[in-house]
């Protein structure tokens, strides 16, 4: 068992996906975790999963982690600050500025509060979806403010490091603008795109490949939660969507008459801008490296994917990323293996020599 930086106990309020995952991660380090939730069933499930123990009357937590829906986060944080005057309190809601403003307006002791936000999650919620490693390698923002000292805030840093996440410091305003761009607006766009499928012909949906699945994957997220998130971060989200609408208008105008002078150039410039933007996204280990994809056809039989991955290792090529796509109507899948460009030719040649079929 790895030694924990935190001393504990840690009280987790909200035994859903994030709260139960926090509990599982801290319990794996031997910390005493106290679980509380408005739903006794959620607490019972999280306890059965090993995420902690039910709250008791004599609890004296070092740290309180509030993991409840955004529309009640400020109220719960204020209640926890009042109930445990010696504890530091954080929350994991995906919007930070409004919660801090609400707490200040309530007269809460924000010298013991600092908001945070792990950029981790799943399409499914609830304690049964939780994982002890949910936060491993993921960014976790600490939204610092002037009313809390570094010494007090260090408990939040310890929490993040104990759970294997990467600490990122931002102001609440920087955080809310950032997540509007990289999280909240993509959710809106994915949902609007997926909504086009409601009346689409089955024949068209049968053509769906990995591209459309990538674009719409997060459209399966919980609408109730996202109504709260988007409402709490409405202004930054709207700013990005207005700019996005302008981008769409340029495309629409260009496609109205693709033979008009300059129309193809305009489309090309917009697409090239997308190339430039995606290159800025951090890749593996936080670098901006671009990888080459080798697509291998894998028969839909037990053990075939494991054999492929083992042989990639035997060849001595590091697998940078992996995506799987099933071929509709055929008992075969496509494994998209991302590798460094200089390794792609050797991997392709050696896999083909071992009998693997390389697509494309």
């Amino acid at each position: 068992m790895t030694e924990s930086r935190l001393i504990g106990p840690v009280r987790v309020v909200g035994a859903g996906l994030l709260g139960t995952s926090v509990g599982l991660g801290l319990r794996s380090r031997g910390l005493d975790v106290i679980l509380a939730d408005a739903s006794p069933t959620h607490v019972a499930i999280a306890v059965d999963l090993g995420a902690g123990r039910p709250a008791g009357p004599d609890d004296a937590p070092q740290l309180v982690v509030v993991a409840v829906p955004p529309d009640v986060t400020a109220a719960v944080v204020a209640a926890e600050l009042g109930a445990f005057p010696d504890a530091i309190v954080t929350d994991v809601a995906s919007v930070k500025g409004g919660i801090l403003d609400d707490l200040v307006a309530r007269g809460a002791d924000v010298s013991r509060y600092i908001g945070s936000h792990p950029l981790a999650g799943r399409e499914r919620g609830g304690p049964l979806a939780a994982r002890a490693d949910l936060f491993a390698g993921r960014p976790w923002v600490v939204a610092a403010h002037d009313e809390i000292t570094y010494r007090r805030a260090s408990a939040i840093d310890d929490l993040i490091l104990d759970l294997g996440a990467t600490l990122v410091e931002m102001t609440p305003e920087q955080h809310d603008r950032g997540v509007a761009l990289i999280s909240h607006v993509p959710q809106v766009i994915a949902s609007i795109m997926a909504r086009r499928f409601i009346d689409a012909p089955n024949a068209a949906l049968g053509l769906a490949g990995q591209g459309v699945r990538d674009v719409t994957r997060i459209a399966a997220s919980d609408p109730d939660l996202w109504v709260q998130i988007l409402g709490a971060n409405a202004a930054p989200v709207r700013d990005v969507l207005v700019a996005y609408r302008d981008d769409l208008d340029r495309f629409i105008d260009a496609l109205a008459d693709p033979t008009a002078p300059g129309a193809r150039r305009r489309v090309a410039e917009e697409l090239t801008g997308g190339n430039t933007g995606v290159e800025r996204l951090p890749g593996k280990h936080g670098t901006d490296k671009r990888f080459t994809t080798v697509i291998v056809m894998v028969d839909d039989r037990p053990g075939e994917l494991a054999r492929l991955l083992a042989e990639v290792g035997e060849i001595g090529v590091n697998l940078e990323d992996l995506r799987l796509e099933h071929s509709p109507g055929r008992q075969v899948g496509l494994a998209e293996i991302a590798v460094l460009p200089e390794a792609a030719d050797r991997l392709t040649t050696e896999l083909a020599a071992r009998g693997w079929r390389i697509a494309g």
Side-chain angles (χ1 to χ4, degrees):
M1 184 180 297
T2 307
E3 185 178 350
S4 173
R5 295 171 178 83
L6 285 169
I7 299 171
V10 176
R11 175 177 161 90
V12 178
V13 183
L17 168 64
L18 294 182
T20 303
S21 294
V22 168
L24 290 170
L26 295 180
R27 285 296 301 137
S28 71
R29 289 178 169 266
L31 276 167
D32 180 17
V33 177
I34 304 158
L35 299 171
D37 193 290
S39 167
T41 300
H42 274 194
V43 172
I45 293 172
V47 170
D48 287 346
L49 291 171
R53 61 176 175 83
D58 298 323
D59 291 332
Q62 170 202 12
L63 173 66
V64 178
V65 180
V66 174
V68 299
D71 61 348
V72 296
T73 294
V76 174
V77 168
E80 295 296 310
L81 287 167
F84 301 100
D86 295 324
I88 302 301
V89 180
T90 189
D91 73 277
V92 295
S94 60
V95 179
K96 302 272 63 99
I99 293 171
L100 178 60
D101 292 343
D102 193 338
L103 289 169
V104 171
R106 292 170 182 264
D109 180 9
V110 293
S111 70
R112 292 187 291 111
Y113 163 79
I114 185 167
S116 69
H117 177 209
L119 277 295
R122 306 180 72 181
E123 287 75 46
R124 295 183 297 118
L128 289 174
R131 299 200 323 249
D133 64 349
L134 182 68
F135 311 105
R138 302 299 303 161
W140 190 319
V141 176
V142 174
H145 60 88
D146 293 338
E147 299 302 318
I148 188 169
T149 65
Y150 177 82
R151 181 180 62 81
R152 281 184 161 178
S154 64
I156 314 301
D157 297 355
D158 291 342
L159 168 74
I160 294 169
L161 296 174
D162 276 353
L163 292 173
T166 301
L167 191 156
V168 180
E169 294 183 354
M170 288 182 164
T171 66
E173 295 77 16
Q174 289 171 333
H175 167 273
D176 290 353
R177 289 195 300 269
V179 293
L181 178 64
I182 58 89
S183 176
H184 301 171
V185 167
Q187 176 66 50
V188 173
I189 293 169
S191 297
I192 292 173
M193 182 70 234
R195 197 170 185 275
R196 295 291 93 205
F197 304 157
I198 294 175
D199 299 320
N202 289 337
L205 296 178
L207 304 176
Q210 194 61 39
V212 71
R213 297 179 195 278
D214 285 347
V215 170
T216 59
R217 177 182 61 83
I218 57 175
S221 299
D222 179 6
D224 292 339
L225 175 63
W226 275 99
V227 167
Q228 295 182 38
I229 293 172
L230 294 171
N233 204 29
V237 170
R238 185 182 184 279
D239 289 344
V240 180
L241 285 174
V242 167
Y244 184 72
R245 181 180 63 190
D246 293 342
D247 294 339
L248 280 178
D249 284 343
R250 286 194 295 272
F251 256 108
I252 292 169
D253 291 345
L255 293 176
D257 183 2
T259 63
R264 287 187 172 86
R265 177 181 60 80
R266 187 181 307 170
V267 170
E269 288 174 348
E270 296 295 330
L271 295 173
T272 301
N275 294 158
T276 304
V278 79
E279 286 174 0
R280 295 199 61 211
L281 290 175
K284 185 181 177 186
H285 307 314
T287 67
D288 290 332
K289 291 181 179 177
R290 296 297 303 275
F291 302 126
T292 298
T293 300
V294 177
I295 303 175
V296 184
M297 301 177 70
V298 182
D299 290 333
D300 192 5
R301 298 197 305 265
E304 283 297 280
L305 180 60
R307 182 169 70 89
L308 171 62
L309 298 182
E311 293 192 8
V312 171
E314 291 171 5
I315 293 168
V317 171
N318 191 51
L319 188 152
E320 306 291 345
D321 200 357
L322 173 68
R323 294 197 305 174
L324 298 175
E325 179 181 357
H326 194 76
S327 180
R330 297 184 61 190
Q331 296 299 306
V332 66
L334 300 177
E336 300 185 10
I337 302 173
V339 298
L340 293 174
E342 57 267 27
D345 287 344
R346 179 164 64 91
L347 180 63
T348 300
T349 300
E350 297 206 25
L351 285 177
R354 293 169 182 243
W356 292 100
R357 292 167 292 168
I358 310 299

